[in-house]
């Protein structure tokens, strides 16, 4: 530690400034400005170098958080990126998109604001990119073994990079027209610009990973053909089957799933022509059903399109600002948070449940809401609270049920559990020899940090299957559960 009393001297939690709201609503650029280096070092210096760093227990990647905090506080950014890359292929992805369970488990957070772990991670990666330290790691020799990775989200990309660096010939297949999974078109630019993703893909291509976009495995290439061409197959298709609602008026025009709305909008944000399915919120009263991150992404997107009003509905009551007693440290508590999108306008309604969609001439014109409370574990309407609100565009952001089941499932002999997730052993193997499952396709909807951890661990399992043993790290088993849940 540069200063063992750093956490006592610097008690405030400091983040870089966000761009002014009127300015950022005019474009799709990221919200945060670059952080001052001295401020970053002060914040990293708040890390206590705990005897037992509980931040590790909350991070499935096993990120060496106290080590790179110490290096940043000393100004040694070159060594910091080396320690960060030792456990995480894509630290800028997790730094921008992960809700940071590591910060909830920070020991300093017991009686002070926790260390800004997530922001330190982002700045290490961004500084390394600017300095030219993110370079290809080309394998010294090739093994002659081939691996197909189906799906190019964080789990698939992490598995592919680890296996490529081990000397295997890896081909990543993506059914969309560009590589990246939901990171490509499912996440708004203001949350993570596509240039950040493209930078890593360029590194992977230089290392030898081959990308094949616009190929629907199960249709364009069958599972049987895939197994004939490759020595191993990794299924990392994610959990993209969205949840549906069954309410009166659901068939009205103007009610869409979040993932029917965000991808076309994000295409336009990066300069593509508006596709036929483009949904424009300009001048409309927009209601987002769902209080999570995807709902927040819809919220900020609608504001940038010039919506007349934006309302986000959350069935849960408004969370407390401080950690509740029934969610003690180091668990990840449900506390009230304000995303960058929420700062930009609109309103949020809590304890709100939709009873029906109201329409005129076949189009949605409003929602019938009621306030709810939990009685014996069941959401129960509060008498006398039913009311209507206007809405000409309704976006459903209520999560994902599991992976999509198409031709690939039967072709690869995959089986599913009661939650529709593809079953696998703790070592990521399925019942079909040489076929493995990683990420949300096997875990169910989860965090990006878990996807990358699973991709790395699955790569180790594949490498051992192909070579008889492996030197690749395996941070988690497929049946691991969050220690802070």
């Amino acid at each position: 530690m540069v200063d063992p009393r750093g956490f006592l001297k610097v008690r405030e939690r400091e983040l870089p400034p966000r761009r002014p709201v009127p300015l950022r609503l005019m474009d799709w650029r990221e919200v945060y400005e670059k952080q001052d280096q001295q401020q970053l070092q002060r914040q990293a210096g708040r890390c206590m170098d705990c005897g037992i760093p509980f931040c590790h227990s909350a991070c499935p990647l096993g990120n060496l958080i106290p080590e790179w905090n110490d290096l940043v506080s000393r100004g040694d950014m070159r060594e910091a990126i080396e320690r960060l890359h030792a456990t995480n292929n894509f630290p800028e992805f997790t730094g921008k998109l992960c809700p940071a369970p590591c910060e909830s488990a920070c020991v300093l957070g017991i009686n002070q604001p926790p260390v800004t772990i997530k922001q330190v991670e982002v700045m290490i990666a961004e500084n390394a990119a600017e300095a030219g330290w993110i370079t290809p790691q080309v394998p010294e020799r090739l093994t002659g073994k081939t691996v197909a990775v189906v799906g190019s989200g964080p789990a698939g990309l992490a598995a592919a990079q680890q296996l490529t660096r081990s000397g295997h010939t890896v081909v990543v297949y993506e059914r969309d027209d560009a590589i990246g999974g939901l990171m490509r078109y499912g996440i708004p630019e203001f949350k993570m610009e596509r240039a950040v993703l493209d930078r890593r893909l360029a590194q992977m291509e230089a290392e030898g990973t081959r990308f094949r976009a616009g190929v629907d495995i199960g249709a364009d290439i069958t599972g049987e053909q895939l197994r004939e061409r490759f020595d191993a197959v990794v299924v990392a298709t994610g959990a993209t089957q969205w949840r549906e609602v069954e309410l009166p008026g659901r068939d009205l025009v103007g009610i869409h799933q979040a993932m029917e709305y965000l991808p076309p909008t994000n295409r336009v944000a990066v300069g593509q022509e508006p596709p036929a399915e483009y949904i424009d919120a300009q001048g409309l009263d927009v209601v987002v059903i769902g209080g999570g991150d995807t709902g927040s992404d819809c919220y900020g997107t609608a504001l940038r399109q010039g919506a007349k009003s934006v309302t986000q509905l959350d069935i849960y009551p408004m969370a407390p600002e401080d950690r509740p007693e029934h969610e003690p440290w180091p668990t990840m508590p449900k506390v009230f948070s304000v995303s960058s999108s929420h700062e930009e306008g609109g309103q949020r309604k809590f304890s709100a449940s939709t009873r029906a969609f109201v329409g005129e001439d076949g189009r949605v014109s409003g929602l019938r809401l009621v306030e709810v409370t939990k009685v014996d574990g069941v959401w129960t309407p509060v008498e006398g609270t039913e009311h209507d609100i206007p809405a000409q565009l309704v976006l459903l952001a209520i999560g994902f049920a599991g992976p999509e089941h198409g031709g690939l499932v039967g072709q690869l002999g995959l089986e599913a559990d009661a939650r529709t997730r593809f079953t696998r052993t703790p070592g990521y193997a399925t019942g079909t020899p040489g076929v493995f499952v990683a990420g949300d396709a096997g875990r169910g909807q989860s965090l990006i940090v878990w996807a990358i951890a699973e991709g790395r661990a699955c790569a180790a399992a594949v490498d051992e299957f192909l070579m008889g043993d492996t030197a690749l790290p395996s941070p988690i088993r497929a049946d691991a559960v969050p220690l802070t849940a």
Side-chain angles (χ1 to χ4, degrees), residues 409-430:
V409 176
Q411 295 165 10
L412 289 180
L414 301 179
E415 296 181 354
D417 62 14
R419 292 175 55 188
T420 74
R421 303 172 300 183
F422 299 140
T423 56
R424 69 260 175 97
T425 69
Y428 299 90
T430 68

Side-chain angles (χ1 to χ4, degrees), residues 334-400:
K334 294 180 178 64
V335 295
F336 181 71
S337 63
V338 178
S339 73
S340 62
S341 295
H342 296 143
E343 292 179 337
E344 297 166 353
Q347 63 175 330
R348 304 162 74 183
K349 288 181 176 291
F350 297 93
S351 300
S353 177
T354 305
R355 303 300 297 272
F357 301 104
V358 180
E360 294 179 4
D361 300 324
R363 296 192 62 89
V364 67
S365 61
L367 276 75
R368 184 152 299 144
L369 304 180
V370 67
E371 184 179 333
V372 292
T373 186
K374 265 196 174 179
V375 179
D376 297 328
V378 178
W379 292 113
T380 305
V382 177
E383 188 176 350
T385 61
E386 190 171 290
H387 62 287
D388 291 358
I389 62 172
Q392 298 86 50
L393 174 60
V394 178
L395 303 172
L396 306 178
I398 54 178
F400 300 89

Side-chain angles (χ1 to χ4, degrees), residues 199-439:
R199 186 172 67 205
R200 283 294 178 179
L201 296 180
Q203 179 196 33
M204 292 180 66
E205 282 191 300
E207 291 170 347
T209 302
R210 303 174 186 180
F211 296 116
R212 300 289 185 268
V215 179
D216 188 358
I217 300 299
D220 300 328
I221 299 176
T222 67
E224 291 90 346
Q225 291 172 328
L226 209 62
R227 292 189 65 204
E228 290 174 0
R229 298 181 188 181
F230 295 90
D231 297 310
V233 176
V234 175
V235 177
T237 52
T240 54
Q241 185 63 52
W242 53 62
R243 298 184 188 278
E244 189 51 85
V245 296
E246 296 181 4
L247 292 171
R250 173 62 182 91
D251 58 345
L252 292 168
V253 176
I255 303 172
H256 302 275
Q257 290 282 349
M259 287 304 155
E260 293 176 315
Y261 172 66
L262 289 174
T265 307
N266 292 334
R267 287 176 180 273
V268 173
V270 297
Q272 297 184 19
E273 289 295 319
E277 65 272 22
Y278 182 67
I279 301 166
D280 195 346
Q282 184 174 9
L284 303 180
D285 295 301
V286 179
V287 174
V288 181
I289 300 178
D293 287 344
T294 302
S296 176
D297 293 345
C298 293
Y299 191 106
T301 299
L303 288 171
R304 281 163 177 74
Q305 287 183 317
K308 178 181 178 182
S309 69
V310 181
T311 303
Q312 185 175 13
L313 306 180
D314 193 336
I315 197 170
Y316 290 95
M318 182 174 172
E321 293 189 0
D322 298 320
R323 181 189 290 273
E325 291 185 2
H326 67 278
E327 295 176 332
W329 174 90
T331 61
M332 191 171 182
K334 294 180 178 64
V335 295
F336 181 71
S337 63
V338 178
S339 73
S340 62
S341 295
H342 296 143
E343 292 179 337
E344 297 166 353
Q347 63 175 330
R348 304 162 74 183
K349 288 181 176 291
F350 297 93
S351 300
S353 177
T354 305
R355 303 300 297 272
F357 301 104
V358 180
E360 294 179 4
D361 300 324
R363 296 192 62 89
V364 67
S365 61
L367 276 75
R368 184 152 299 144
L369 304 180
V370 67
E371 184 179 333
V372 292
T373 186
K374 265 196 174 179
V375 179
D376 297 328
V378 178
W379 292 113
T380 305
V382 177
E383 188 176 350
T385 61
E386 190 171 290
H387 62 287
D388 291 358
I389 62 172
Q392 298 86 50
L393 174 60
V394 178
L395 303 172
L396 306 178
I398 54 178
F400 300 89
E404 297 176 35
H405 288 201
L408 183 64
V409 176
Q411 295 165 10
L412 289 180
L414 301 179
E415 296 181 354
D417 62 14
R419 292 175 55 188
T420 74
R421 303 172 300 183
F422 299 140
T423 56
R424 69 260 175 97
T425 69
Y428 299 90
T430 68
T432 303
V435 178
F436 299 79
V437 172

